Amino acid sequence: MKKMLAILASSALLMLAACGSGNEESNGEAAEEKTVKIGITQIVEHPSLDSAREGFIAALKDAGYEEGKNLKIDFQNAQGDMNNNMSIAQNLVADKNDLILAIATASAQSVVQSTKDIPILFTAITDPVGAELVESMEKPGGNATGTSDTHPDAIKNTINSIKTFVPEAKKVGIIYNDGEPNSVVNVKDAKEAIEAAGLEAVETTISTSSEVKQAAESLVGRADVFYIPKDNTVVSALESVLTVANEKDIPAFVGESDSVKRGGFASYGFEYHDLGYTTGKMAIDILEGKKPSEIPVGYPESLELVINKKAAEEQGVTLTEDMLKDAKVVGE
């Protein structure tokens, strides 16, 4: 009898051990198969915002998160429609994503209004505090943080370069959507820089991308140069401005490097891919347990003068070797 009990006890222990081993293996497989869900909302399609998104995804991939394996990305573009923008934010929240990336100010504001629980990252934001996305740059405070595309010297340096490249210029034509909070801030800073440089600002506002070409044409004869700020509506239709600039020999200074690559004449800027990559590294920290409130808002780390040589020829700017010596030259 004792022998039989010992055999039964031994068998029971072996069965428990086998079950335990199976559970560990199952849990291990579950951990490996767990898919992180990230929703991405973008206000409109244009190269700078696209580059920021690509940089974000590249950072995730470098950290071991890859679509089709352990990452699911739901990317939605509002195409400049504010109603669509809010619907996208609400849908991404309802889908219970692990994290939401909002690209550009309007997208970020809609997501922040839609959830206080899901971690939010933003990028390509002009003024995160003014847009009420965070309490402060150093201590965001809520469930959102990310990166701003406003280097404190970018606008000032670009406006000052007008006097170097077009010394005869007196009036600077600005086209922007006064319904975009980021644009209002950019234009305010640009006007201050224009006045400090002894120049005069001539403004025209639009509300949709279809109005951009007409706005540019309205500045012909009233402005010596164009300045196109980081305005999502205008930049999405930048070629409309450049057509006018090229036909009328009006140098087009722009708010970021990607617009120079597209045919703008010059800008002090940075790579939006790098800005998105920095935001992606923040996402890794959050996925590993850090709270957005613990991560300060980031900035572009450096600026460089970017000049499009072909655009200079088309827009009537004569370049010298001295002008080009410290610049990154594209469009050759």
Side-chain angles (χ1 to χ4, degrees):
M1 184 68 178
K2 289 182 179 178
K3 185 174 180 181
M4 184 175 293
L5 289 172
I7 291 170
L8 289 170
S10 176
S11 298
L13 288 170
L14 287 170
M15 289 177 67
L16 287 170
C19 288
S21 174
N23 285 338
E24 287 174 9
E25 184 178 353
S26 175
N27 289 338
E29 288 176 359
E32 289 177 7
E33 293 172 0
K34 175 175 168 52
T35 298
V36 171
K37 291 173 60 181
I38 295 180
I40 301 179
T41 174
Q42 183 172 315
I43 189 61
V44 73
E45 182 177 358
H46 71 64
S48 296
L49 303 187
D50 295 343
S51 291
R53 185 182 74 250
E54 291 160 4
F56 177 84
I57 294 171
L60 290 172
K61 185 175 181 180
D62 288 347
Y65 292 92
E66 192 167 352
E67 284 190 88
K69 294 182 179 178
N70 57 355
L71 175 65
K72 180 180 178 182
I73 290 178
D74 182 2
F75 167 58
Q76 298 188 42
N77 192 317
Q79 300 296 347
D81 186 307
M82 291 302 122
N83 292 326
N84 193 22
N85 177 52
M86 179 55 76
S87 296
I88 289 171
Q90 293 170 344
N91 290 338
L92 292 179
V93 171
D95 288 343
K96 300 187 187 313
N97 283 282
D98 297 301
L99 183 148
I100 297 174
L101 171 68
I103 305 176
T105 301
S107 296
Q109 288 176 321
S110 293
V111 178
V112 167
Q113 290 170 21
S114 300
T115 180
K116 302 300 178 188
D117 301 317
I118 298 174
I120 299 166
L121 283 170
F122 53 73
T123 191
I125 306 294
T126 297
D127 183 6
V129 176
E132 299 183 349
L133 303 176
V134 295
E135 293 175 8
S136 74
M137 304 294 272
E138 296 76 22
K139 296 181 179 180
N143 61 320
T145 189
T147 54
S148 169
D149 60 1
T150 301
H151 190 290
D153 296 326
I155 292 175
K156 179 181 68 175
N157 288 358
T158 301
I159 295 301
N160 286 342
S161 73
I162 292 173
K163 300 186 76 172
T164 299
F165 295 110
V166 194
E168 69 278 11
K170 302 296 181 186
K171 296 183 178 182
V172 181
I174 305 175
I175 306 169
Y176 71 105
N177 180 353
D178 56 0
E180 286 191 31
N182 53 296
S183 297
V184 173
V185 173
N186 276 317
V187 171
K188 176 179 175 292
D189 292 343
K191 287 169 69 176
E192 289 176 358
I194 288 167
E195 184 179 350
L199 302 171
E200 180 184 344
V202 182
E203 302 173 51
T204 184
T205 61
I206 51 91
S207 56
T208 68
S209 58
S210 63
E211 299 170 359
V212 171
K213 186 174 182 183
Q214 184 177 356
E217 290 171 339
S218 76
L219 290 172
V220 175
R222 298 194 296 135
D224 303 307
V225 300
F226 289 152
Y227 175 68
I228 307 303
K230 289 178 291 187
D231 179 295
N232 295 310
T233 308
V234 179
V235 174
S236 69
L238 182 65
E239 282 70 23
S240 298
V241 178
L242 298 179
T243 297
V244 176
N246 293 343
E247 287 177 355
K248 302 298 183 179
D249 285 348
I250 301 174
F253 293 79
V254 291
E256 23 70 41
S257 301
D258 287 317
S259 290
V260 180
K261 295 172 186 175
R262 289 167 68 186
F265 164 55
S267 178
Y268 274 86
F270 56 90
E271 296 294 335
Y272 271 79
H273 187 279
D274 296 342
L275 194 70
Y277 195 94
T278 297
T279 316
K281 290 194 291 185
M282 293 177 174
I284 305 305
D285 289 339
I286 291 171
L287 294 173
E288 292 178 354
K290 207 165 185 179
K291 295 179 180 179
S293 60
E294 300 170 346
I295 305 174
V297 176
Y299 294 94
E301 295 180 1
S302 61
L303 286 177
E304 62 179 348
L305 173 61
V306 185
I307 293 173
N308 187 316
K309 205 168 183 179
K310 183 178 179 181
E313 294 172 4
E314 293 182 338
Q315 295 165 21
V317 180
T318 302
L319 296 173
T320 65
E321 289 301 318
D322 191 53
M323 291 176 177
L324 296 172
K325 68 179 181 180
D326 295 320
K328 175 181 178 180
V329 179
V330 299
E332 290 187 279

